[in-house]
Amino acid sequence: MNLEKIIKNNITVAEVSGEELLITDVQSALDILMSAKYDAGTKNIVIDKKHIVEDFFILSTGLAGEILQKYINYEGRIAIYGDYSHYTSKPLKDFIYESNKGKDVFFVSTKEEAVDMLTR
């Protein structure tokens, strides 16, 4: 796992990257949040959706809810970027829509949009 510190508008975000799936369960998601906090000095995470296990995007597994609740409990914020156009699930589309109206969890198309969402 690699962490790149990005500073915009005096707000730091950590872009998480790597060659493999980085978020596969609640513990791996928390590990990323804690790494960002201690290694980059931020609780703002930007990650490409290709680094997140596909079960996260199947809401009936409960994985997204568990992970995002932990992030909120620990005051973490996350922006996940990538292509969501192939998803046909109405609950997922509604979840993404509602998340994007909030201030802690965002689903966007590009890394630049992800950084923007966490630094405004």
Side-chain angles (χ1 to χ4, degrees), residues 3-63:
L3 278 178
E4 180 188 343
K5 204 169 164 178
I6 300 169
I7 300 172
K8 183 175 178 182
N9 299 329
N10 293 322
I11 298 171
T12 302
V13 299
E15 180 190 3
V16 183
S17 62
E19 297 299 314
E20 68 283 346
L21 285 176
L22 299 173
I23 295 179
T24 57
D25 56 19
V26 174
Q27 189 57 54
S28 61
L30 281 176
D31 290 346
I32 287 172
L33 182 60
M34 292 305 120
S35 292
K37 180 180 177 185
Y38 294 109
D39 298 341
T42 186
K43 292 182 182 179
N44 295 316
I45 309 295
V46 170
I47 189 168
D48 189 321
K49 71 178 280 303
K50 71 182 180 185
H51 297 303
I52 301 174
V53 68
E54 193 59 29
D55 279 356
F56 180 91
F57 300 99
I58 302 169
L59 294 183
S60 61
T61 67
L63 186 59

